[in-house]
Amino acid sequence: MKINIAQLKKELGGTQTFSFQTSVDELALNQREEAWTDNVLVDGVVTNKGTYYEVTGTIHATLQESCSRCLESVVSVLTIPFSEKIRETGLEETGEDSEFEFSCFTGDEMEITDLIRENILLAKPLKPVCSENCRGLCPECGANLNISTCGCNPIKIDPRLAVLEKLLSKD
């Protein structure tokens, strides 16, 4: 995904909007076990800040994966805001810019594919769940506890401490 900023280079403080629809193949997201269900949509604005360009926007992506507790299918709709400072290669760094880390580009086009991929991977849920109160699977029999209960004893007592249980019983 390239943004042509030839006109924006001439306007200090100017802005330029952009919008892309790209595939997961172009972003190299299809190499993992999740299933990206739709194309990825990217909307944003590039602002000429003088010594650098600020790229801000929003990424919209849909991901289908398995719940980490019960293994049921979960569809996650991701809306990811992003902001990045990009400098043209060869420009001098000013004192006020030295505290920022910049990506670089050359010429009249900015390549933002890596920026989009990184933001998607960082925003993707580590442990997706179908709902906050998902009960998961029974560790003994594997039954989905959201659908039914099982006959397994949920309380397991360590055999080394079983003698202490007698103290709690009132005979």
Side-chain angles (χ1 to χ4, degrees):
M1 291 183 286
K2 294 183 179 182
I3 304 170
N4 188 328
I5 59 164
Q7 186 64 33
L8 185 61
K9 284 183 170 184
K10 300 172 188 173
E11 303 172 29
L12 181 62
T15 61
Q16 177 180 332
T17 61
F18 63 89
S19 182
F20 294 107
Q21 180 173 344
T22 186
S23 68
V24 293
D25 293 331
E26 184 179 340
L27 293 171
L29 294 173
N30 58 354
Q31 300 169 356
R32 293 163 175 58
E33 64 259 4
E34 17 346 276
W36 297 90
T37 57
D38 293 328
N39 286 333
V40 177
L41 304 173
V42 181
D43 297 313
V45 176
V46 180
T47 306
N48 183 345
K49 297 287 190 172
T51 58
Y52 64 92
Y53 297 89
E54 186 173 30
V55 181
T56 58
T58 307
I59 305 165
H60 304 278
T62 307
L63 174 66
Q64 183 173 355
E65 46 192 349
S66 297
C67 175
S68 61
R69 296 179 190 165
C70 69
L71 304 178
E72 294 292 322
S73 180
V74 177
V75 176
S76 302
V77 178
L78 305 175
T79 301
I80 309 160
F82 66 92
S83 180
E84 183 83 16
K85 293 173 178 27
I86 302 177
R87 178 191 313 271
E88 188 170 6
T89 305
L91 286 181
E92 289 293 319
E93 186 176 294
T94 63
E96 62 190 40
D97 295 341
S98 62
E99 64 189 61
F100 299 113
E101 185 175 317
F102 292 94
S103 298
C104 294
F105 73 97
T106 305
D108 290 338
E109 290 186 331
M110 273 184 210
E111 176 63 54
I112 63 166
T113 304
D114 291 337
L115 166 69
I116 302 303
R117 180 184 318 105
E118 289 170 7
N119 278 282
I120 289 173
L121 292 176
L122 289 172
K124 189 178 90 55
L126 293 176
K127 300 264 185 191
V129 290
C130 58
S131 69
E132 288 299 319
N133 55 359
C134 177
R135 295 177 56 210
L137 301 175
C138 172
E140 293 293 318
C141 68
N144 186 340
L145 299 175
N146 296 318
I147 298 171
S148 64
T149 58
C150 62
C152 300
N153 183 7
I155 301 173
K156 294 289 181 188
I157 298 175
D158 187 342
R160 297 171 294 180
L161 302 175
V163 177
L164 297 176
E165 186 179 22
K166 294 177 184 175
L167 294 174
L168 297 175
S169 64
K170 296 181 180 179
D171 291 331

